[in-house]
Amino acid sequence: MATISERELAATLDHAILKPELTRDQVDAELDIAAEWGVFSVCVRPSDIAHAASRLAGTGVAVGTVIGFPHGTTSTAAKVAEVRQALADGATEVDMVVNIGALRSGFDDVVTDDIRAVVEAASGHITKVILETAYLDDEQIARGSRLTEAGGAHFVKTSTGFAGGGATVEHVRLMRANVGPAVQVKASGGVRSYADALAMIAAGATRLGTSGSAVILGEARRVDAGEGATGAVDDSSY
C-alpha cells in the first residue's frame, strides 16, 4: 500500500471533539492538538463552535460541527435550526445524521427531503451525511449513499462513532461505488492508526474523522523519516 506524507494526511483529517463529558479545559487541549498538527478541521459539539472558532482563528484549521447528533431522529425543522445557528456561531462545515429509522423503513422521500433541507440551510457550506452503518445492511448503505447524492450533500459518511461500530473498508468501498464523482466519502469511527487511515483512503475515503489525529500523524511523521509506524489510539468513540 502506498504511503502518504504527514502533510497530505493532515489535510484529510477532521479532528473529533465530541464526547459529551469533555470539560472546557479538555476541549481546549484538543483544539490545541488540532492546531499543532495542522489538521483540516475540528468537528466540535454545537455548543463549542464559537469558542473553537475564536481559539483556532489564524491557524488555518476549519471548524465543523454535528447536526441531529447522534441519532438523527430530530425533526427536519430542528436540524435546519441547528445548521443556521452553527453557521452563525462560526462553523464552516456540518455533519448531519440521517433519519436512520426512515432509511431502514424505505421512506426514501423522507430521507432525501431531510438531507435537502439541511443542504439548503447550509447555503453552500460543506454538508456531510452520516448513515450510521452499524445499524444498516449493505442494501441500506448503498441506498442511503444514493439518497445522500440526491439530496445534494457533498459527502456521505460512515458513522457517528457512538453506535458501537465504525468505518470498515468494505463499507467505504460500497459507499464510494454508489455515488458519483461529485460526492466524497468520509470514514469515521475506529480510524486508530496510520495503517487504518491508509486503508480507508485506498478504499475511496477523502476525509477521515478521528480523535486520534496526533497518534496517526505522529506515525506518518515517523514514516516520512524512514522510521516506520507503530502506534495506535483508542478511538472507539469516533
Side-chain angles (χ1 to χ4, degrees), residues 214-228:
V215 169
I216 293 170
L217 293 174
E219 292 185 81
R221 182 172 293 179
R222 289 191 292 273
V223 170
D224 286 350
E227 299 173 10

Side-chain angles (χ1 to χ4, degrees), residues 19-190:
K19 293 179 180 179
E21 73 274 17
L22 292 176
T23 65
R24 175 54 61 83
D25 286 346
Q26 289 172 316
V27 168
D28 284 348
E30 294 299 321
L31 293 172
D32 292 347
I33 286 170
E36 176 186 353
W37 288 94
V39 300
F40 181 84
S41 79
V42 292
C43 190
V44 300
R45 302 172 302 195
S47 58
D48 293 326
I49 296 168
H51 175 71
S54 176
R55 192 173 183 92
L56 292 172
T59 66
V61 178
V63 176
T65 194
V66 286
I67 303 297
F69 196 83
H71 299 128
T73 53
T74 49
S75 68
T76 297
K79 290 178 180 177
V80 166
E82 279 191 281
V83 172
R84 290 173 176 162
Q85 186 63 56
L87 297 182
D89 288 343
T92 58
E93 298 192 353
V94 295
D95 292 28
M96 68 167 286
V97 185
V98 76
N99 187 322
I100 302 164
L103 178 58
R104 284 168 51 90
S105 298
F107 299 157
D108 290 2
D109 288 346
V110 172
V111 173
T112 305
D113 289 348
D114 189 53
I115 294 168
R116 185 176 293 114
V118 168
V119 170
E120 290 175 354
S123 301
H125 291 82
I126 295 294
T127 303
K128 312 183 196 88
V129 177
I130 306 170
L131 298 185
E132 200 65 285
T133 53
Y135 294 144
L136 308 176
D137 61 27
D138 285 357
E139 185 278 330
Q140 292 161 349
I141 293 169
R143 181 161 45 84
S145 299
R146 295 192 295 272
L147 297 178
T148 293
E149 183 166 25
H154 304 86
F155 280 82
V156 61
K157 175 178 169 182
T158 57
S159 318
T160 65
F162 288 83
T168 67
V169 165
E170 293 75 19
H171 287 162
V172 169
R173 286 176 179 154
L174 181 61
M175 293 159 72
R176 179 68 268 162
N178 278 277
V179 293
V183 179
Q184 300 179 64
V185 177
K186 177 176 173 179
S188 63

